[in-house]
Amino acid sequence: MSNRRGEAAALAGLLAVAGATHLLRPGLYDPIVPGALPGPARFWTYASGVAELAVAAAVANPATRRAGGRAAAALFIAVLPANVQMAVDWRHRRPAKRAIAYGRVPMQVPLIWWALRVARAAR
C-alpha cells in the first residue's frame, strides 16, 4: 500500500469510527451540539454520524477520493462549533477533561490539512 493510499485509508477509518460512535453512542455527543441549531440535539448527532460514514466511504473509494477529501475538510470545519461548545461547557471540569475539550479545537486544523492533502493526492 502506498503512503498516499495509506493516508486515505487512515482518514477513512477515522471518519468511519467517528461516524459509528455517533450512531452507537449518541449520548456522548448530544451535549456538545450547539443550542443555536434548530431541532433536537439527537438529530444533529445522528446526521453528523451519517455524514461521517458517507464521507469515509467517499475517501476510501479512489474514484471519489478527491471529492471525499474535500468533503472531509468541510465536515471538520462544520463540526468546529461543537468542539468550541464542548470547550466552553467543560471549562470548569477536572484538568484532564478540560485538556481533552480544549485540545479538540486546535486539532481541527491538522485534520482539515490532512483531508485536503488526501484530496490533492487523489488522481
Side-chain angles (χ1 to χ4, degrees):
M1 179 181 298
S2 77
N3 188 36
R4 287 182 182 162
R5 283 196 326 226
E7 281 190 52
L11 180 60
L14 174 79
L15 288 161
V17 168
T21 60
H22 277 75
L23 300 177
L24 298 172
R25 304 283 311 270
L28 297 173
Y29 298 94
D30 291 345
I32 66 170
V33 173
L37 291 174
R42 182 62 49 96
F43 168 80
W44 294 105
T45 297
Y46 284 151
S48 62
V50 169
E52 285 166 332
L53 290 172
V55 171
V59 169
N61 183 345
T64 57
R65 185 165 295 144
R66 182 177 300 267
R70 290 177 181 157
L75 184 62
F76 292 139
I77 292 167
V79 301
L80 182 58
N83 291 329
V84 170
Q85 184 68 54
M86 182 179 186
V88 169
D89 290 347
W90 287 25
R91 69 187 178 279
H92 300 299
R93 295 216 179 169
R94 294 188 333 254
K97 291 210 176 218
R98 274 198 319 265
I100 290 167
Y102 293 168
R104 288 174 61 117
V105 176
M107 183 55 69
Q108 296 307 112
V109 173
L111 289 173
I112 294 164
W113 175 82
W114 184 17
L116 292 174
R117 179 178 159 103
V118 166
R120 281 191 303 271
R123 296 176 195 214

